Structure formats: C-alpha cells, structure tokens
Amino acid sequence: MKVLVIGGAGYIGSHVVKELMAKGHKVTVFDNLSSGLVQNLFPENEFIAGNILYTDDIDGAFARGFDAFIDLAAFKAAGESMIKPEKYSINNISGTMNILNAAVKHNCLNMVFSSSAAVFGEPQYLPLDENHPKNPTNYYGFTKLKIEEFMQWYDQLKGLKFAALRYFNAAGYDPEGVLYGLERNPANLLPVMMEAACGKREKISIFGNDYPTRDGTCIRDYIHVSDLAVAHVMALEYIADKKESITLNLGTGNGITVTEMLEAARRITGKEIKAEYVGRRAGDPAQLTASSALAKKTLGWEPKFSDVDTLIGSTWQAYRKYFGL
C-alpha cells in the first residue's frame, strides 16, 4: 500500500515507518519537524514538510494519492494540556479535523489513529479493557476521546475505516539500533533515567513512594515502541482487508514499578543514577495497566520486546550511540 505517515519523523512515527518498510509498503512522511527529527527520516521515503494546521499543506499531501494513512501528529504532555488547553485544542482537535477532511476529499479511507489509554481516566478496574468507562482526567485524554468520536461519525457518514490504538507508556528504541534519534526535552521516566546515566542530569525525581503497590511506587504499563509499530501496521492491514473499524487497547497487562525500572536501569547501564523520592504528583493513580486480549484475538498481536531488560537495554543502546559513549 501507499501509506502517508503524519508525524513520521517523531519517536513512535519513525519506528512505524521502519515497520511499514519492512512489510513492503511504500511510505511518505508528512511532518513539521517541531518535535520530529530529520535524523529519523529514511532516505528511500518521500518527505513532505508541512503542518496539519495549514489546510493547503495537508490537502496537497493527500492529493498525491494514498491507500491509507497513519496519524501520529499530536501534542501528548498530559500535564501541559491542563495548563494550555488551547494549544491542545488547536493542534490535536483542529489539526486532526483538517486531516480527516483532506483524507475523505481525496478518497483515502483507511486510517490508523494513535490514541491513548488516557481516554479512560481513573481506573475502576484493572487491567483496563476496551469497555472500561471513558472519563479522562486530563485535557490531552479528552482530545483523544473526542477524535475517536469524530472518526466514528466519519465512518458512518463518509465510509472512513479506522483503527484507534490506545496505550499508556511507549518506551524503548529500535532493537536493531537503526533508529536512535532522541526526543527533545523528554519528560518520561526511561529517557530521564538515561540522561542521568549519561551525566546529562544530576539526578531523577520519583514522585511518591507511599502508594499501595509492592514497593510503594507507581506501577505503569510500558510498551516497547517496536511492539507498537508492529501493532500499527497489523491494524492498518486488518482494516484495509476487512473494511471494518476497530478500537483496541495495547498493553502487557502486567506493569512495572518506578523503583523496579530504576534498579534495572542501574544494573543494565552500570551507572549509579541518583534518585530522590519526592511528593506525589496530583492525579497520578497508583497503578495503570491495560489488557491487550482483544488485540491478540483480532490481530494476533502480542508484545515481544516489552520486558524490562529490552526496554532499558535498547534505550541505553540508543543513548550511548547518540552521545558516542
């Protein structure tokens, strides 16, 4: 298939592009490089420098003719979304509507959407499945939920078939070491730990060690980015073949505590990684895990790289390669 990957120069997007190429699809990347990196582009793919907020840019891209597209162009910092909802409204909601309108105009009716398990909000039971009530506790999650609703209407009214993929914590790097472009100003646990291991920051802060978990720190469901990439491509091929929309959770269902991640990172890197326990962050649940039973049943997808050692080892490999360590 000819596939347009919007946000394909980003962290997740570049891994999705690599997997699409491995499966023989012809890829074009559309990105404004606000967070994506030129380093993440593959020379064999076409690249369109454009912005989803400019209708001429996105319309011109779809006018080239594609069989399908993958939408990864969103701001994703939950905390920031509570301070700057207007930024997330404009980019995530208005930008996505521009994408949907251009796609249906040019008859590109197969879509994979990078959604989020943030659509669920505070967990009522674990692991979260697709039927869990949706009540986002941050504005970022709200934007993802609204877009899912828009896609359902466009399916009904315009014949757009979509796969909405919901997951929590994307982590790790390409195990083959081809991709190692680092995110700018990372806020997530694993890259922050790697910066400390590299000497780029003095220490890390762990928010809360008095949660009702096995070691007092939060439990999160980390999915390796290469597992996510495989799921995106499998979902794309599924909807193109079956002509039906799907909404799936992606997770391991297990979860790793912050302290377990830290101890594993110290072991794998051989570095001290100074850490201090500080107060809880507002709105942080003790535990978040997602069930991927439906993804396994529907797509045959199972995570293969999402164990602690591979998550940390592949990330450390990327940081060492990037900084020449």
Side-chain angles (χ1 to χ4, degrees):
M1 285 187 285
K2 287 181 66 179
V3 184
L4 179 67
V5 182
I6 303 166
Y11 168 56
I12 298 175
S14 57
H15 287 80
V16 170
V17 168
K18 183 173 182 282
E19 181 65 18
L20 283 165
M21 292 166 60
K23 292 292 188 289
H25 299 291
K26 183 174 174 55
V27 180
T28 297
V29 170
F30 180 100
D31 205 298
N32 68 356
L33 299 178
S34 62
S35 58
L37 304 171
V38 172
Q39 181 184 344
N40 285 340
L41 298 171
F42 292 86
E44 53 265 57
N45 297 327
E46 280 193 68
F47 171 63
I48 303 171
N51 194 315
I52 61 173
L53 300 183
Y54 302 151
T55 54
D56 286 349
D57 284 3
I58 195 68
D59 185 73
F62 276 102
R64 299 187 183 202
F66 293 97
D67 302 306
F69 68 101
I70 299 178
D71 178 12
L72 298 127
F75 293 138
K76 61 178 184 175
E80 183 189 47
S81 75
M82 300 295 279
I83 301 166
K84 300 178 179 178
E86 64 280 9
K87 175 181 177 180
Y88 283 69
S89 297
I90 293 167
N91 187 79
N92 292 13
I93 295 180
S94 299
T96 303
M97 294 312 300
N98 290 340
I99 293 170
L100 292 179
N101 291 335
V104 298
K105 175 182 175 181
H106 295 285
N107 202 39
C108 183
L109 301 178
N110 296 302
M111 171 186 188
V112 175
F113 177 61
S114 180
S115 190
S116 170
V119 301
F120 296 115
E122 197 75 27
Q124 297 183 15
Y125 57 84
L126 292 168
L128 296 164
D129 60 23
E130 288 76 7
N131 296 319
H132 187 284
K134 287 93 187 154
N135 186 26
T137 54
N138 58 66
Y139 194 75
Y140 161 70
F142 170 81
T143 66
K144 292 291 190 178
L145 182 59
K146 288 296 118 181
I147 293 164
E148 287 190 12
E149 294 173 1
F150 291 140
M151 291 190 302
Q152 290 164 10
W153 276 107
Y154 272 60
D155 181 349
Q156 181 180 329
L157 302 176
K158 295 290 187 177
L160 175 74
K161 299 306 172 189
F162 66 86
L165 304 180
R166 301 167 175 157
Y167 45 92
F168 282 116
N169 299 77
Y173 271 83
D174 172 27
E176 295 176 352
V178 175
L179 292 166
Y180 57 94
L182 304 183
E183 290 187 275
R184 301 183 186 124
N185 304 313
N188 294 333
L189 176 65
L190 194 44
V192 166
M193 288 195 302
M194 294 299 102
E195 287 190 348
C198 290
K200 303 299 177 184
R201 65 171 71 211
E202 182 185 349
K203 60 186 176 182
I204 71 166
S205 296
I206 296 175
F207 299 98
N209 62 345
D210 58 350
Y211 286 97
T213 60
R214 52 186 173 264
D215 60 24
T217 59
C218 288
I219 294 174
R220 293 293 180 263
D221 200 334
Y222 295 91
I223 296 291
H224 196 285
V225 66
S226 295
D227 286 329
L228 287 178
V230 169
H232 279 72
V233 177
M234 292 177 80
L236 182 65
E237 293 172 343
Y238 178 91
I239 61 169
D241 178 48
K242 303 289 187 182
K243 301 301 179 190
E244 65 181 33
S245 296
I246 51 174
T247 299
L248 301 173
N249 291 358
L250 302 176
T252 65
N254 298 317
I256 305 165
T257 73
V258 176
T259 297
E260 287 167 352
M261 286 287 277
L262 175 61
E263 290 173 349
R266 286 169 171 164
R267 170 173 55 82
I268 290 167
T269 64
K271 305 294 183 180
E272 180 183 0
I273 310 181
K274 291 182 180 178
E276 65 173 352
Y277 292 100
V278 296
R280 296 184 183 188
R281 283 185 304 199
D284 267 355
Q287 183 172 348
L288 290 172
T289 54
S291 167
S292 58
L294 186 59
K296 180 179 180 181
K297 179 182 177 182
T298 306
L299 304 178
W301 177 84
E302 289 186 87
K304 297 179 180 177
F305 302 107
S306 296
D307 60 282
V308 177
D309 282 21
T310 304
L311 286 165
I312 295 171
S314 62
T315 307
W316 181 232
Q317 172 183 261
Y319 272 76
R320 289 181 66 189
K321 192 168 183 178
Y322 186 87
F323 289 114
L325 300 176

